Amino acid sequence: IVWWRAWVLWKESAVVRFVYVLLISAAFGELLMQVAGPVDPGNKWGLAAGTVSLFTNLTATGLIAYKAWYYRRFLKRNLFMGSARTRLERNLTLFIESGLAYCILWVNLVLLLSPPYSPNTVSTINPARFS
């Protein structure tokens, strides 16, 4: 849904469409790899799919936010609008906020799928070795 919104706002941009196809293909490929294993903490394919989906949604939300910022700047420069917000601006704000909320859900999923932290798995550097 987030990418559909970005696609509509950037319909003339071949670069955005290319990025869309690339990211959606990566997310779909990761989804296919995830089917091979269970979705539980430590599952590398589930973590990869969640990370790709998070990045995909962050990119789409960022593109929507840029378009909203550009539109607002255009209105201020050309129509000398003060602080009044148009209906389109309110809709774009809703798109951005809902996209960010969706990204927060993906961040939580990625954190849940991440392997548990263990002090034994992190290498420590002994400062005395460098003296």
Side-chain angles (χ1 to χ4, degrees):
I1 291 175
V2 178
W3 261 107
W4 176 83
R5 294 171 180 170
W7 184 279
V8 169
L9 291 172
W10 291 87
K11 58 186 164 194
E12 286 89 26
S13 176
V15 173
V16 170
R17 288 186 178 222
F18 174 76
V19 169
Y20 164 78
V21 169
L22 184 69
L23 290 174
I24 294 298
S25 297
F28 185 71
E30 291 295 334
L31 178 67
L32 291 178
M33 296 304 290
Q34 183 181 355
V35 170
V39 179
D40 58 358
N43 178 349
K44 63 182 178 181
W45 295 116
L47 179 61
T51 304
V52 169
S53 293
L54 171 62
F55 182 71
T56 299
N57 287 299
L58 280 172
T59 303
T61 302
L63 288 168
I64 294 168
Y66 176 78
K67 192 62 101 167
W69 170 80
Y70 185 82
Y71 174 76
R72 179 73 174 161
R73 191 180 72 166
F74 173 82
L75 286 181
K76 280 188 173 185
R77 286 185 179 172
N78 297 312
L79 299 177
F80 306 107
M81 284 186 58
S83 62
R85 293 181 54 170
T86 65
R87 185 179 206 173
L88 177 60
E89 284 180 289
R90 288 191 298 268
N91 286 339
L92 289 174
T93 301
L94 177 66
F95 292 166
I96 294 165
E97 290 171 352
S98 63
L100 288 174
Y102 192 58
C103 288
I104 289 170
L105 292 174
W106 276 109
V107 166
N108 288 326
L109 179 68
V110 167
L111 291 175
L112 286 172
L113 291 176
S114 298
Y117 170 75
S118 171
N120 297 332
T121 61
V122 177
S123 65
T124 57
I125 298 174
N126 184 355
R129 290 178 56 193
F130 298 104
S131 344

